Amino acid sequence: MKKKPNSIYVSGPITNTADHVRQFKEAVEYLKQQGRKPLDPLQIKPSQEMLSQKDEWNYYMKEAIKMLMEADAIYMLEGWEGSRGARIEHLLAQELNIAVYYASEDYKYV
């Protein structure tokens, strides 16, 4: 029997998405209810390095990828296909054989 993932990185659209905070919060709560440890990129805090950069997106993506590397799986929120960052995270997870789950599917097995 396949081992269920413990730590699951949450990925989805953030930039220009009005309700991304709600979407991520709901996903985090769902994963906690399933006994999993959600890794939420919205919890990444700005640093002095980020404040000195002109490109915040690059900073947050680098930090998010570090977080993804700690995960057993990735949980793709609806609309991820329209997000440059989420597409990068999805591809990286696939290339590194990190289990991929989609919010649009039944997650009773996550």
Side-chain angles (χ1 to χ4, degrees), residues 27-61:
V28 165
E29 288 306 312
Y30 172 76
L31 293 169
K32 284 181 181 178
Q33 290 171 0
Q34 299 299 311
R36 307 294 175 252
K37 177 186 171 190
L39 303 176
D40 180 2
L42 295 185
Q43 300 307 309
I44 296 170
K45 303 296 182 212
S47 71
Q48 283 303 115
E49 175 190 347
M50 191 271 319
L51 296 173
S52 67
Q53 290 184 4
K54 292 183 180 174
D55 192 344
E56 289 183 30
W57 187 87
N58 280 346
Y59 169 79
Y60 282 108
M61 277 305 299

Side-chain angles (χ1 to χ4, degrees), residues 10-24 26-27 74-83 86-87 90 101-107:
V10 180
S11 179
I14 295 173
T15 305
N16 301 320
T17 304
D19 66 344
H20 70 275
V21 173
R22 179 193 56 79
Q23 290 175 331
F24 276 78
E26 287 176 2
I74 187 170
Y75 184 86
M76 305 303 299
L77 298 178
E78 291 194 38
W80 70 268
E81 303 94 332
S83 165
R87 288 192 313 267
H90 183 264
Y101 298 94
Y102 302 91
S104 59
E105 297 176 0
D106 184 0
Y107 276 97

